[in-house]
Amino acid sequence: MNTQEWPRCIKSARQKRRLVKTDRDKQLIQLYKRRWALWLQRAQLPPVALAEPYQSGWMRFFVLRDDIKRGPKAEFYETLLAKINTVECHHDKSFKRKKRRKGRYIYKAKEQKLRELDLYDWYHSKPILTERERVCFIRVESYNVKARSLQVRYVFTEPWRYVLKIAPYIITHKKALDVDIEAELAYIADRIDSNYLEPRLNRLTRGRCFRCRDDFKEPAKYINKFKNIPKYAHKEAYLELET
């Protein structure tokens, strides 16, 4: 049978299967876009102030030394600190981390440094630092063993002008919760997980992207329990799987 002689309104079986698959992929792409839009809406919700703020651990950051504050360049170093300051949080005020050494655990103080700029930040079209602030940095080159490449950093040459300060980490706001957004996200997540659609979504939206090792495992409902049982096995072997 020559399908070329058919009228245009009549489609072959292969074309029908292709249209069904294309329509399904379009629906998955729309589902992906809707999920992404809901994530953005949830992220843009304004925070809600707490009636009773509470402390959740400690925070550590750099401040200008007292003698530098009284100097003529106090304003310059305060402006620079706002660009290279780092903040770390910890549940303990001592900021010590557990480390294994010679078969036993010890607690070692956690080191904290000022921000180091990479080549992207240094040569950006909208630079972070001014020409006067760039003079305070030095170029440091080191070899990255994992990446097997030369790593370039710009480090502040006068870190002694700043000291670490520890203060309580107070929680004053919480994330807002929208019931409608959460309900729709839960519906989309349930549909994707129950129908095992995440690998196909990744293929349609991001191509052959990297997936975690657990993503390659089949869901339990698709696993054939009788696959690895030989045909000559006893009846009890099949009955044990059903229970």
Side-chain angles (χ1 to χ4, degrees), residues 10-52:
I10 301 177
K11 296 181 175 61
S12 63
R14 181 179 179 182
Q15 289 175 337
K16 291 180 180 179
R17 291 194 301 268
R18 187 64 188 174
L19 287 174
V20 171
K21 184 177 180 181
T22 304
D23 183 67
R24 178 176 175 270
D25 290 344
K26 289 181 179 180
Q27 292 179 8
L28 289 179
I29 293 174
Q30 293 299 324
L31 189 69
Y32 171 82
K33 291 181 179 180
R34 181 56 183 169
R35 183 177 65 172
W36 188 260
L38 290 173
W39 283 345
L40 292 179
Q41 292 180 17
R42 184 173 63 178
Q44 294 173 358
L45 290 175
V48 180
L50 294 175
E52 297 181 359

Side-chain angles (χ1 to χ4, degrees), residues 123-167:
Y123 294 105
H124 198 271
S125 58
K126 296 181 180 179
I128 302 175
L129 305 176
T130 61
E131 293 297 332
R132 185 184 175 189
E133 294 171 346
R134 284 172 178 257
V135 181
C136 302
F137 287 79
I138 186 174
R139 179 188 175 102
V140 177
E141 297 180 356
S142 60
Y143 183 76
N144 192 337
V145 179
K146 293 183 178 180
R148 297 182 181 180
S149 61
L150 187 66
Q151 190 175 19
V152 180
R153 294 283 180 179
Y154 290 89
V155 184
F156 185 59
T157 57
E158 300 174 342
W160 52 269
R161 295 185 181 273
Y162 306 106
V163 292
L164 285 171
K165 180 181 178 180
I166 299 176

